Amino acid sequence: LHMVLSIAENDGFDDIVSWQAHGRCFSVRKKQEFVDKILSSYFGQSKIASFQRQLSMYGFLRLTQGPDRGCYYHELFLKHKLYLCQDITRTGVNGNVVKRRVDPKTEPDFYSMPFVAPDPELPEYLLRFIKKEEPNEPNNGEGSSNITF
């Protein structure tokens, strides 16, 4: 998902799905186009409800008020901080997900927090992937150098 948001930003799909300016949540702006162009291509799904259920299983919450209303967030899912995603775990399996009630009074105000800044230097492989560049050096036959989903 993190990579898909980066690709969307670089390939001009940010009118469909994108990070909010502060980098702490993302928005699906055009649901049908998201399903047609992104869900089917990158996630192998054809229903927005399945995508939303997966987000819920991984602990994402949906904001219910304010300028980020309808956006999804997770405390470990931040723009420019791909390495944090490794600590996101699935919380439910086979319908045993306990849906957390959202209390609008406790929802975060991301605009009162510092905007998420890029790390000083992204790993070279990530930059190549985002920019769709080929590596400068051959991989010496050690498998494919392309990152896939």
Side-chain angles (χ1 to χ4, degrees):
L1 179 59
H2 208 287
M3 295 283 207
V4 169
L5 288 166
S6 295
I7 291 168
E9 185 174 51
N10 289 319
D11 289 355
F13 293 122
D14 52 351
D15 62 321
I16 299 171
V17 60
S18 65
W19 290 102
Q20 292 296 85
H22 46 67
R24 296 181 181 276
C25 65
F26 72 94
S27 174
V28 176
R29 299 177 194 288
K30 297 179 181 176
K31 286 185 181 179
Q32 192 56 52
E33 287 185 52
F34 179 74
V35 169
D36 295 341
K37 295 181 179 178
I38 296 172
L39 265 188
S40 59
S41 298
Y42 294 102
F43 299 104
Q45 295 181 352
S46 60
K47 297 181 181 174
I48 191 80
S50 297
F51 177 72
Q52 291 168 327
R53 190 168 34 258
Q54 288 292 320
L55 287 175
S56 180
M57 282 196 224
Y58 282 93
F60 283 78
L61 296 173
R62 189 171 182 181
L63 294 163
T64 62
Q65 64 181 8
D68 293 329
R69 183 176 185 218
C71 293
Y72 298 94
Y73 73 98
H74 188 289
E75 65 183 7
L76 297 174
F77 192 75
L78 304 174
K79 186 175 184 179
H80 308 300
K81 310 294 180 191
L82 180 62
Y83 59 89
L84 293 175
C85 294
Q86 68 188 4
D87 293 326
I88 296 176
T89 58
R90 190 170 173 163
T91 58
V93 181
N94 297 329
N96 295 329
V97 177
V98 176
K99 190 167 185 174
R100 295 183 279 178
R101 294 226 178 245
V102 178
D103 181 1
K105 291 181 248 170
T106 62
E107 286 185 347
D109 174 10
F110 295 129
Y111 293 93
S112 68
M113 300 175 190
F115 281 26
V116 179
D119 289 329
E121 192 171 311
L122 284 173
E124 185 180 334
Y125 75 89
L126 183 58
L127 287 172
R128 282 197 313 261
F129 176 76
I130 292 171
K131 294 179 181 179
K132 295 183 179 181
E133 294 177 357
E134 293 299 318
N136 292 333
E137 298 179 20
N139 62 11
N140 299 326
E142 297 175 9
S144 173
S145 61
N146 295 330
I147 298 173
T148 59
F149 289 90

